[in-house]
Amino acid sequence: QVTLKESGPMLVQSTQTLTLTCSFSGFSLNTNGVGVGWIRQPPGKALEWLALIYWDDDKRYNPSLKTRLTISKDTSKNQVVLTMANMDPVDSATYYCAHRQLRQAAFDFWGQGTLVTVSS
Amino acid sequence: QSALTQPPSASGSPGQSVTISCTGTSSDIGGYNYVSWYQQHPGKAPKLMIYQVTKRPSGVPDRFSGSKSGNTASLTVSGLQAEDEADYYCNSHAGSNNFEFGGGTKLTVL
């Protein structure tokens, strides 16, 4: 079955760069039409889509955060990495990674999420 | 502030039907048939309930249905059950570089 799990630091300092890893199983990012995205959710607030990478290395970014985000994949390790530069306390949130199929156009499997707190 | 507008709350009694709306523009909901809906229980990850406006993933009860008219999408939950109490988020394709979420609706089963 498809599973995803996020990992990374629980606490980062302001201005630092956050690096999060999504480790997955049950699918391959070499498969046509498959993608992995990142979505975050500040405590008590709504979901916000951040970035998405497809099997063909096509990358998409939230326009309002594009300058701070980098997404990459390592298909041999079944991992997707997201970096977010210049972290601020407002970036404190639970960060989720999720599987997406191009033909479904939806995030159909999600990781459990990882809470990141940014201290000033 | 979310790009898609949802009512903050909705409620209904067990057995009743409730509809949650999600309003966007012609650049997102109105322009694509790529609306999805997610259910999120407290402390849990979101779960896909509806994709491509009306389709249900395997395992999602047929009490959940989706529709769209113009720039507004809707999620209807029929035959409300206690376990349906959760937050619900809509999501829409918005051009090649954006996948917008709504602000979320807290559904209460009275």
Side-chain angles (χ1 to χ4, degrees), chain A residues 39 41 45-49 52 54 59-63 66 96 100 102-108 110-112, chain B residues 2 34 36 38 40 44-48 50-52 57 89 91 93 95-104:
Chain A
I39 301 99
Q41 185 175 36
K45 296 190 177 181
L47 300 168
E48 179 181 31
W49 170 72
L52 176 63
Y54 285 112
K59 299 166 187 174
R60 308 294 172 92
Y61 296 102
N62 184 317
K66 181 175 182 175
Y96 296 98
R100 186 177 182 94
L102 200 57
R103 59 182 172 84
Q104 253 195 350
F107 297 103
D108 51 359
W110 293 63
Q112 64 190 25
Chain B
S2 302
Y34 293 143
S36 52
Y38 301 85
Q40 186 179 35
K44 301 294 187 182
K47 175 187 175 183
L48 178 64
I50 297 286
Y51 67 99
Q52 290 179 13
Y89 293 92
N91 177 264
H93 199 67
S96 62
N97 271 331
N98 213 346
F99 304 90
E100 301 166 338
F101 281 95

Side-chain angles (χ1 to χ4, degrees), chain B residues 40-107:
Chain B
Q40 186 179 35
H41 287 109
K44 301 294 187 182
K47 175 187 175 183
L48 178 64
M49 304 301 283
I50 297 286
Y51 67 99
Q52 290 179 13
V53 180
T54 62
K55 299 178 181 178
R56 272 188 317 274
S58 174
V60 173
D62 60 6
R63 302 185 293 103
F64 291 85
S65 62
S67 63
K68 188 184 88 166
S69 176
N71 297 335
T72 298
S74 298
L75 173 72
T76 297
V77 186
S78 306
L80 267 177
Q81 298 183 4
E83 61 260 35
D84 300 333
E85 184 162 296
D87 293 328
Y88 291 84
Y89 293 92
C90 59
N91 177 264
S92 175
H93 199 67
S96 62
N97 271 331
N98 213 346
F99 304 90
E100 301 166 338
F101 281 95
T105 298
K106 182 177 181 59
L107 175 60

